[in-house]
Amino acid sequence: TAVACTATEAPVETATADEDWTTTTDQWMSLYREMLKFRAEGGGLVNPPDVEIVRVVPYEEWAQAQVDCLAEQGFTASTLPGGAVEYADVPAEQGPALNLAAYVCAAKYPYDVRRDQRLPEKRAIAQFEFLKSTVAPCVAELGYEPGEPPSLQTWLSDYNATGNAWDPIAEAWQASGSSHEVLMEIQSECPREAPGLYPEIEGLNY
C-alpha cells in the first residue's frame, strides 16, 4: 500500500512570548538531528546512516526534492497538495529499502526544521497580519472565499492550542470541496508566508 508523508511530521513545540528563532548553526543542527531521529524511528531504522546535507530546501520545494531524490534511488513517488509525498506501492520485501531511501532523502534535502516548532509570538503576529492584509485579498481576487479573519487574540489562541488557525488559503480550498486544482492555482498566485518569517542561518547551504 502506498503511504504519504509531509514535510512537518515531527512533534511541534510551542515557543513562549519572549522567544525568537534559533540563529546559530549548532542550534539548527540540534533540531535537524531531532527530526532525523523521529523519521528513523517512524521508518523502523535501527542504525540509520550518516548523511550529509546537500541543501536546505524551501517548504514549497520539499516534496518535489524528495520525489526527485527517491527516483535517483530507484523508487517512484509523487507530490500531493499541501506538500506531501505519496510513495508508489512496492513489494513487502522492498519496504525496508524504501524506508531507508526516504530517510536518506529527508536528510539530504531537509526543510527548515524550525517548522517543527510553533512560531515565536512576534513572528506569529506578523504572519497573522500578513494573512489578513496580503494573502486574503489575493485569494479573493482569484474569485475564492478566504473566510472572515478572527481577532488577533482568537487567532493566537487557536494557533498556540493546535497549530491550526484561520488561513485564507485553507479556507478557500475547503470551500471549493478540497479541489486540488483550486489549491494549486492559489498557491501559484498567492504568497503564503510573511517575508523573513524563517530568516536564513549563516553556515547552512540553502
Side-chain angles (χ1 to χ4, degrees):
T1 301
V3 296
C5 70
T6 60
T8 51
E9 290 186 323
V12 177
E13 300 295 334
T14 300
T16 59
D18 59 347
E19 289 180 334
D20 198 1
W21 286 135
T22 57
T23 56
T24 70
T25 304
D26 286 346
Q27 290 172 319
W28 193 94
M29 289 300 296
S30 177
L31 294 175
Y32 170 73
R33 286 189 290 271
E34 289 177 14
M35 179 273 290
L36 291 184
K37 179 181 177 181
F38 180 82
R39 288 189 177 274
E41 291 173 350
L45 304 178
V46 178
N47 294 303
D50 292 329
V51 181
E52 185 174 344
I53 295 175
V54 175
R55 181 171 65 93
V56 178
V57 298
Y59 181 80
E60 60 273 14
E61 298 176 14
W62 182 84
Q64 189 60 54
Q66 304 307 299
V67 169
D68 293 343
C69 176
L70 286 164
E72 293 174 358
Q73 300 187 61
F75 292 99
T76 300
S78 58
T79 62
L80 293 174
V85 176
E86 183 176 43
Y87 307 112
D89 288 333
V90 296
E93 61 270 18
Q94 290 186 22
L98 174 58
N99 289 340
L100 176 59
Y103 174 89
V104 168
C105 289
K108 282 185 172 182
Y109 301 98
Y111 53 86
D112 190 329
V113 287
R114 287 172 293 184
R115 291 179 177 277
D116 291 342
Q117 299 178 302
R118 294 279 189 268
L119 288 167
E121 186 170 292
K122 65 181 183 180
R123 294 187 183 274
I125 292 172
Q127 175 64 5
F128 172 74
E129 296 298 338
F130 185 75
L131 291 173
K132 196 166 65 167
S133 67
T134 302
V135 183
C138 178
V139 170
E141 287 175 6
L142 292 174
Y144 302 111
E145 177 51 59
E148 187 67 26
S151 69
L152 171 61
Q153 289 307 315
T154 296
W155 190 89
L156 285 173
S157 177
D158 291 344
Y159 177 75
N160 287 325
T162 66
N164 295 314
W166 172 78
D167 180 328
I169 294 179
E171 293 277 345
W173 177 60
Q174 291 168 1
S176 74
S178 302
S179 165
H180 172 72
E181 290 75 16
V182 168
L183 182 60
M184 292 299 98
E185 179 187 0
I186 295 174
Q187 289 184 341
S188 67
E189 297 293 334
C190 298
R192 300 174 65 180
E193 295 177 347
L197 203 59
Y198 298 90
E200 291 189 0
I201 296 176
E202 186 176 354
L204 293 181
N205 181 29
Y206 288 90

